[in-house]
Amino acid sequence: MNEFSAEAMGLVIREHRQARIPVITQEELAEQADYGKGGAVSISRIEHGLVSPGEHRLAAIALALQLTPGQLKQEAEDRTRSLALQRGQRPAKLRDQVAETKRRHAEINEKTAERSKIAQEHGEAFKRVHDVVRDKFFMRFVELASSISGAPEPARPSEGQIESTGETLTAIRIEAMSAGIANAIRGAAAGGAAGAAAGGAAAYGAFTAAAMFGTASTGTVISTLAGAAATNATLALLGGGTLAAGGAGMAGGILLLTGMVAAPAAALAAAGFYVLRKRRNKKEEERLRIEVEAAEAALDQSQQGFDMTVDVLSRATATMEYIEVHGTHALEKWRASLPPEPRDWESLGHEGRERYKEFLTVSGCFLAAGIINVPALLTAEPDALREMDRAVDETLRYADKTIKSIV
């Protein structure tokens, strides 16, 4: 895990940016580091210590600053230690102690308010595009696929095949999810997964819960994954718990997420009235200082989970936007090529059948990227967070690459 604080990394990046001759602006750095629209805002948030860039973002920023990621990390680690030493030196006079604690209290409230704003922005952006893709691609494909009789069940790899092919657990898991979707489509065609063909949030919840349940209960693939100690955290994070309750993973957890990032500020409420007093005795000052330090520690401890949350939401949103533009267009072309109803599997022709299989894979990738339980990232212990980071990164990379190779 990182040995530097977001504040320290932000200071180091700002100093290097301003040290360039000529000085480059935040917008210029964002452009050189391949940030998209609104990149200057992202750089500003990094420099103010609100967000620490992930590995791929840090590498791009380092390159733009003519440094290596290792150099930035080392300088940030050194700055983290120096900042800790400075804060350990308390003023001697009570009046100065009061002023310092009040300043730190204000910084915590400002930082948590900004975190909530960032989480809400990313969460709402994800939810918007997720809901569009859900209705215009996923449920539209379900509707079309349900009208095709005789579609074969996708083959599920056996345990021996998994070991011999060397496929990643993510690839195997998405294959299994695609098979579960196919099973649920057959169930929808027979009147199951109530209302699935109608689209919308309620139908999506019912349909995907049926797909997840079928995947988990009928194949050895999921049981194999669940039995691997290295992937327990992955399944807990990426499993269908929220879907089984009718939710929608990230799309269903945005309000919870924004409340969680504001928790450190809420923890100060009990002692907050002391801040408003012009005078405090030593006992009151000590109580508030302890509360402030506890809130600062909570912010520090949740920083990596928060950074990962922002990164996950941003990457998942980009993947969903790609499906929104290219996936829906490809699906419409496939729909136009389908024979009139009633239609069966053989009537699709070779190209139509291959497209059906490809859309199943895209649907599996969409589902895998859409049910990541991001609020769990903020409460995970360091070891679990490290495993989650690896699992989520692999899932998003595989889903994005696979989707783009198909549509």
Side-chain angles (χ1 to χ4, degrees):
M1 303 298 283
N2 295 339
E3 299 297 329
F4 55 82
S5 67
E7 178 187 11
M9 178 58 78
L11 289 171
V12 168
I13 289 174
R14 182 175 64 188
E15 289 167 1
H16 277 288
R17 177 179 63 79
Q18 294 176 340
R20 291 286 302 276
I21 301 175
V23 173
I24 61 174
T25 65
Q26 291 176 335
E27 185 174 353
E28 289 169 336
L29 177 57
E31 184 177 349
Q32 292 177 35
D34 294 326
Y35 276 83
K37 185 178 180 181
V41 174
S42 297
I43 296 297
S44 176
R45 287 169 170 171
I46 289 171
E47 292 186 353
H48 283 85
L50 297 171
V51 180
S52 188
E55 290 294 328
H56 64 294
R57 289 295 192 191
L58 185 62
I61 290 173
L63 181 62
L65 295 174
Q66 299 179 358
L67 299 165
T68 67
Q71 287 174 312
L72 283 179
K73 288 181 180 179
Q74 185 58 58
E75 289 189 35
E77 289 178 10
D78 295 341
R79 183 62 61 85
T80 299
R81 286 190 288 270
S82 67
L83 288 172
L85 288 173
Q86 291 174 19
R87 285 169 181 159
Q89 300 171 355
R90 296 185 63 205
K93 295 182 179 180
L94 178 61
R95 180 183 60 187
D96 295 334
Q97 291 176 12
V98 168
E100 181 192 30
T101 303
K102 185 175 182 179
R103 176 187 59 78
R104 290 164 67 182
H105 182 277
E107 285 180 355
I108 292 169
N109 281 299
E110 181 180 358
K111 189 169 185 177
T112 50
E114 283 298 316
R115 274 196 183 186
S116 292
K117 180 180 178 181
I118 293 168
Q120 185 172 6
E121 287 176 0
H122 283 79
E124 289 178 351
F126 171 83
K127 189 177 187 307
R128 183 205 67 78
V129 70
H130 170 276
D131 290 354
V132 170
V133 174
R134 176 197 67 200
D135 294 338
K136 293 188 176 180
F137 176 82
F138 188 92
M139 295 309 299
R140 180 62 172 149
F141 170 65
V142 167
E143 179 184 5
L144 292 171
S146 297
S147 71
I148 301 169
S149 62
E153 178 180 354
R156 299 172 182 272
S158 66
E159 244 179 277
Q161 289 174 319
I162 291 170
E163 294 176 358
S164 62
T165 59
E167 287 190 85
T168 66
L169 292 175
T170 296
I172 296 164
R173 181 173 175 276
I174 288 179
E175 286 179 23
M177 292 180 80
S178 297
I181 292 169
N183 282 332
I185 286 173
R186 282 193 290 275
Y204 174 71
F207 183 85
T208 49
M212 292 292 293
F213 177 78
T215 303
S217 63
T218 60
T220 59
V221 174
I222 293 298
S223 63
T224 300
L225 293 180
T231 60
N232 284 342
T234 307
L235 290 179
L237 180 66
L238 303 178
T242 54
L243 289 174
M250 286 197 279
I254 301 308
L255 290 178
L256 175 62
L257 173 64
T258 54
M260 290 172 71
V261 298
L268 290 175
F273 80 95
Y274 287 124
V275 176
L276 303 177
R277 297 179 60 169
K278 293 183 178 180
R279 290 180 173 274
R280 294 200 291 272
N281 59 39
K282 286 186 177 182
K283 184 176 181 180
E284 292 170 341
E285 165 59 23
E286 182 69 12
R287 175 182 173 183
L288 181 57
R289 183 182 63 80
I290 292 172
E291 295 283 351
V292 165
E293 289 178 349
E296 287 174 338
L299 281 172
D300 290 342
Q301 290 168 5
S302 63
Q303 183 69 51
Q304 287 189 310
F306 176 73
D307 292 338
M308 186 178 165
T309 295
V310 171
D311 185 59
V312 166
L313 285 169
S314 178
R315 292 168 64 187
T317 298
T319 297
M320 299 288 175
E321 287 172 343
Y322 189 90
I323 301 176
E324 179 185 17
V325 175
H326 301 283
T328 54
H329 177 69
L331 184 65
E332 179 57 26
K333 286 183 63 177
W334 183 65
R335 182 203 64 77
S337 71
L338 291 175
E341 296 188 56
R343 56 178 72 102
D344 59 30
W345 181 248
E346 293 302 322
S347 69
L348 300 187
H350 175 74
E351 185 175 346
R353 293 193 294 268
E354 289 302 305
R355 211 57 174 144
Y356 171 94
K357 296 174 184 176
E358 289 175 341
F359 287 136
L360 266 181
T361 299
V362 173
S363 297
C365 290
F366 165 72
L367 190 57
I371 64 172
I372 297 172
N373 184 10
V374 288
L377 304 177
L378 294 174
T379 57
E381 295 296 324
D383 288 345
L385 184 61
R386 188 180 298 109
E387 176 63 22
M388 289 177 179
D389 191 8
R390 182 205 62 77
V392 173
D393 178 69
E394 184 177 291
T395 295
L396 292 177
R397 283 179 186 274
Y398 181 86
D400 190 66
K401 179 180 178 181
T402 302
I403 290 167
K404 289 178 179 177
S405 71
I406 293 174
V407 297

